[in-house]
Amino acid sequence: MTEKTSDSSGDEPGHGSGPVADPGARVILSNEPGSFAWGVLAKRHPALIQQVRDAFPYGRRQHEALDALLDEIINGVIQPLAPSERDHGQWSAWGREHFGRPWFDAPFLWAESYFYRRLLGAIEYFGTGPWQGVDPFAPFKQAELRGAAVDEELRALDALADAPADERATALLHASLWGNRADLGFRVTEGDPASGDAAGGLVADDSTVLWQLLPAGAQSTVAVVADNAGRELIPDLILIDHLLEHRHADQVVLHVKPYPYYVSDAMASDVVDCLRRLTHAPAEAGRIGARLWQAMATGRLEIRTHSFYCAPLPYEEMPEDLRQEFEAATLTIFKGDLNYRRLVGDRMWNATAPFADLTAYFPGAVAALRTLKSDVIAGLEQGALEALERSGSAWRTSGTHALLQVRR
């Protein structure tokens, strides 16, 4: 695994404002009772604190720190990290406008990110004691990866083994897109999303453009910025195998988080767990796992990470070393809802605002594969938007709709 250790992101003064193509598009806060963002801070985060507390035999110190964090979120104001914390300087710059204010009055993107940083601090993930480096979300990830649903999904690969390449490509792309339904953070309070029809639930589909950017036999490097581990990461890896096996890419670089984040976000250890799950599976899944394992050994598949992936900032404010990595790729694929929010900016855009305009800053061709689980949306056709609004469903946040958007 290659890790970029540049701290340049901490030297930048940004506070998660995002693209400003439409200055009238308000930054999403969490202070509107009943809103999606409010529900995350008021309900999902307290539930997660309890789940983490129950999943490990933490001691009195960790329990007291978790209690203090919960009380601060509900009743207090945002407190800075202690000066002794390793990233105190970074968060002091990122949060200087927000410390001392209620959590619900801070930008939603910032507050969510800081919550996970504080949660890791409470259980002493970054400390020097016995809990250093122990992933508090590992039991949730492992239970999902061992589940019968994964066995069923892997068996389904056998039916695709002899399918025409274009049909297989479409099926695997949709599997990677809809795999985001397995997001553990989304399930903390809501329960499993509704199943829905994959094709019918697509509110935007630029898959034709994606394949045009990656013709078979081209000299291409594809960057994939992962979102969740487990049942989402496995179809991502299977899609990566297809890209390599059918020469849509000479190399794929898989970008993951450097430490636990947003419950189920993927780290290098989660990639290894998924590869082992594949290699130990029978038939086609096992063959895919073996190819991916070999691709890692030869460098055709590489894992990288960067401290910026756990920053509360939009990608518009990425540091120069990360920008250069994306610039060198033929196509960068961003997976999941959080990456989408950071890609276009966590604002209430007009839903028909062009995706290309909001990502014009990005240093190369970019694609977003996202199941909708938050309010942010852009790039919709007016007719599609009107039909969605008439449906009366919570289509922006329920996980029943998805999009695949590409900017050349």
Side-chain angles (χ1 to χ4, degrees):
M1 178 181 70
T2 303
E3 178 172 4
K4 303 294 184 179
T5 57
S6 167
D7 289 331
S8 58
S9 58
D11 298 330
E12 298 181 11
H15 301 284
S17 56
V20 291
D22 175 9
R26 65 175 176 85
V27 174
I28 296 176
L29 307 179
S30 304
N31 57 7
E32 181 181 340
S35 68
F36 177 80
W38 176 87
V40 169
L41 264 66
K43 298 181 179 181
R44 188 181 301 180
H45 287 176
L48 179 59
I49 288 174
Q50 187 61 49
Q51 287 192 343
V52 168
R53 177 199 297 271
D54 294 342
F56 286 91
Y58 292 123
R60 177 181 296 179
R61 192 169 56 247
Q62 286 90 355
H63 282 278
E64 289 176 349
L66 290 170
D67 288 341
L69 175 59
L70 178 59
D71 184 66
E72 178 185 316
I73 293 171
I74 301 302
N75 302 311
V77 296
I78 304 169
Q79 300 295 328
L81 296 179
S84 59
E85 294 283 357
R86 55 190 280 280
D87 48 357
H88 168 77
Q90 284 185 329
W91 278 102
S92 293
W94 292 336
R96 60 175 176 259
E97 294 180 2
H98 312 311
F99 296 134
R101 299 166 57 186
W103 278 78
F104 292 84
D105 291 342
F108 179 42
L109 178 67
W110 188 93
E112 265 199 301
S113 185
Y114 191 52
F115 165 78
Y116 284 99
R117 173 58 186 88
R118 291 286 303 279
L119 179 65
L120 292 177
I123 54 96
E124 302 181 8
Y125 179 87
F126 297 114
T128 58
W131 295 104
Q132 180 185 21
V134 177
D135 182 356
F137 313 129
F140 315 141
K141 298 175 184 176
Q142 292 166 1
E144 181 189 75
L145 200 56
R146 292 193 299 263
V150 174
D151 290 325
E152 182 179 347
E153 289 158 2
L154 295 182
R155 283 194 297 269
L157 289 169
D158 296 340
L160 278 177
D162 299 322
D166 57 342
E167 292 181 15
R168 181 181 173 91
T170 297
L172 295 181
L173 184 62
H174 281 177
S176 178
L177 170 62
W178 288 102
N180 188 262
R181 291 170 189 249
D183 184 338
L184 297 174
F186 183 78
R187 294 214 314 263
V188 165
T189 54
E190 280 80 354
D192 284 327
S195 56
D197 170 41
L202 278 175
V203 300
D205 184 4
D206 294 337
S207 54
T208 299
V209 181
L210 185 148
W211 293 118
Q212 288 173 351
L213 289 167
L214 300 175
Q219 299 291 314
S220 300
T221 297
V222 176
V224 177
V225 183
D227 187 37
N228 294 313
R231 285 181 64 196
E232 180 185 349
L233 186 56
I234 282 181
D236 290 345
L237 289 168
I238 293 168
L239 176 62
I240 287 170
D241 170 72
H242 181 86
L243 295 178
L244 293 171
E245 185 72 3
H246 291 266
R247 295 290 174 177
H248 294 286
D250 294 313
Q251 183 190 39
V252 176
V253 179
L254 180 61
H255 295 255
V256 296
K257 301 295 192 301
Y259 52 79
Y261 199 59
Y262 277 69
V263 185
S264 53
D265 282 16
M267 303 185 296
S269 57
D270 299 311
V271 177
V272 174
D273 287 344
C274 288
L275 286 175
R276 286 187 174 133
R277 185 74 160 89
L278 284 167
T279 57
H280 294 161
E284 181 66 4
R287 290 188 286 271
I288 291 171
R291 289 197 297 263
L292 288 169
W293 199 278
Q294 179 64 18
M296 289 281 289
T298 60
R300 296 189 70 210
L301 173 58
E302 185 176 339
I303 305 173
R304 295 180 192 168
T305 190
H306 196 292
S307 59
F308 186 77
Y309 290 132
C310 294
L313 307 175
Y315 282 107
E316 190 179 32
E317 300 182 36
M318 74 181 91
E320 185 58 30
D321 58 343
L322 190 56
R323 181 180 297 274
Q324 290 176 3
E325 284 207 39
F326 292 143
E327 187 175 21
T330 307
L331 174 67
T332 299
I333 299 173
F334 283 96
K335 285 297 310 294
D337 200 78
L338 175 61
N339 277 325
Y340 188 86
R341 291 164 59 195
R342 297 184 71 189
L343 185 63
V344 304
D346 205 34
R347 292 173 175 260
M348 289 301 293
W349 302 109
N350 183 322
T352 60
F355 177 75
D357 289 358
L358 299 184
T359 57
Y361 68 89
F362 198 81
V366 61
L369 275 65
R370 173 213 183 191
T371 307
L372 276 57
K373 297 178 182 175
S374 66
D375 289 314
V376 178
I377 189 74
L380 299 189
E381 298 291 337
Q382 184 63 42
L385 174 61
E386 291 173 356
L388 288 165
E389 295 291 356
R390 285 196 303 268
S391 71
S393 66
W395 60 273
R396 289 176 181 252
T397 60
S398 63
T400 57
H401 293 75
L403 59 79
L404 198 167
Q405 294 174 324
V406 179
R407 195 221 74 207
R408 292 179 181 271

